[in-house]
Amino acid sequence: MILDQLTIIQQTAEFVRSKLEGEGTGHDWWHIERVRTMALRLGGNERADLYVVELAALLHDIADWKFNDGDEGAGGRDARRWLESLYVEPEAIVHVCEIINAVSFKGAGVKTTMRTEEGMVVQDADRLDAIGAIGIARAFAYGGFKGQEIYNPEVQPQPHASFEEYKKGSGSTINHFHEKLLLLKERMNTATGHAIAEERHRYMVEYLQRFSKEWIGEA
Ligand code: ADP
Ligand code: NI
């Protein structure tokens, strides 16, 4: 059975939606939908293969290591199983799984490079959803899920040098801004992604300044 690309995309979207619908930590279906839209926008500017971009965007959080006992390969494996069940071309499967396995942030001191244009736009789209107004909302949603404090002035942010260190967590959600969110602007792959990140970054900095002032009763 050979399915056309549109059908494969539609079935994949339904599959992901049924898995992630109603998820409460910021890795829900609407995160996927936003990453999909942004990745297609960035990919359109970069002459990327939009079929691979859309499949990778849809499947990128299908089995995140954070919800699979730290297993980094789970996402790629689940995506492969799904795409094979639809008889997707092997080259596309390899490419999509490579992107899924490489997309995540792994700590301030850990380099995560993308090999292809398609991977770069999916990574930028995913990272853009971690910053700005939506990024702030997602960070506090995830922090609540982990049971971590909003902020604790006695716990300093850590410049995680390894993925193992990063996995252990931040201490507080405000620390997560310093350990990850404020670093993303400089790690964007595409020019459009970088421009959008600048604006979202500014908004987060303003938010943190306001947070600090309220914390000490100054505003
Ligand atoms: P990535 O897309 O790089 O894999 P994650 O899945 O780690 O990103 O992060 C998804 C969302 O959860 C992001 O918005 C991120 O800021 C948030 N998040 C991850 N770890 C923490 C943490 N320790 N505290 C607060 N938010 C977090
Ligand atoms: Ni994501």
Side-chain angles (χ1 to χ4, degrees):
M1 176 183 52
I2 303 292
L3 298 173
D4 61 274
Q5 293 190 348
L6 186 62
T7 308
I8 289 168
I9 296 281
Q10 281 170 345
Q11 292 199 5
T12 301
E14 276 169 37
F15 167 67
V16 173
R17 184 169 185 155
S18 72
K19 279 209 139 189
L20 299 181
E21 185 102 75
E23 203 272 351
T25 73
H27 293 78
D28 54 299
W29 162 251
W30 299 111
H31 162 63
I32 306 301
E33 183 66 12
R34 290 189 302 271
V35 172
R36 174 195 201 177
T37 305
M38 182 60 80
L40 289 173
R41 173 180 165 189
L42 299 178
N45 291 343
E46 305 288 331
R47 284 208 320 256
D49 176 349
L50 296 184
Y51 173 56
V52 167
V53 166
E54 195 163 9
L55 282 178
L58 284 169
L59 288 163
H60 84 275
D61 273 336
I62 197 69
D64 196 286
W65 60 265
K66 287 190 288 317
F67 311 103
N68 286 278
D69 296 328
D71 180 356
E72 288 172 69
R77 279 199 301 281
D78 283 11
R80 166 173 290 281
R81 206 171 305 131
W82 167 254
L83 295 170
E84 280 175 355
S85 78
L86 297 182
Y87 303 100
V88 169
E89 316 81 288
E91 311 79 62
I93 298 183
V94 168
H95 195 174
V96 167
C97 294
E98 175 188 330
I99 295 173
I100 294 170
N101 289 331
V103 77
S104 265
F105 183 84
K106 296 191 169 69
V110 186
K111 260 200 146 136
T112 43
T113 44
M114 274 294 182
R115 190 181 58 82
T116 64
E117 206 68 60
E118 289 74 15
M120 291 182 195
V121 304
V122 173
Q123 189 173 54
D124 278 8
D126 193 29
R127 291 184 167 174
L128 285 171
D129 211 55
I131 61 178
I134 287 177
I136 294 170
R138 293 182 68 221
F140 286 104
Y142 187 80
F145 160 75
K146 292 293 276 187
Q148 73 193 17
E149 289 176 297
I150 290 172
Y151 179 48
N152 183 338
E154 293 169 354
V155 182
Q156 297 308 307
Q158 300 299 318
H160 299 124
S162 71
F163 187 37
E164 289 309 312
E165 285 299 309
Y166 176 70
K167 274 190 206 177
K168 288 184 198 153
S170 300
S172 75
T173 296
I174 291 294
N175 280 0
H176 185 67
F177 282 77
H178 298 283
E179 291 165 352
K180 172 183 174 187
L181 307 184
L182 293 171
L183 309 177
L184 293 179
K185 172 171 73 77
E186 293 310 323
R187 298 188 183 203
M188 301 303 289
N189 303 299
T190 66
T192 313
H194 194 262
I196 301 171
E198 291 269 2
E199 183 60 26
R200 295 189 183 193
H201 182 92
R202 242 196 312 278
Y203 184 81
M204 279 195 303
V205 170
E206 198 183 313
Y207 171 80
L208 289 171
Q209 284 165 349
R210 178 94 206 167
F211 188 101
S212 301
K213 281 192 180 164
E214 291 184 15
W215 189 267
I216 55 171
E218 254 188 23

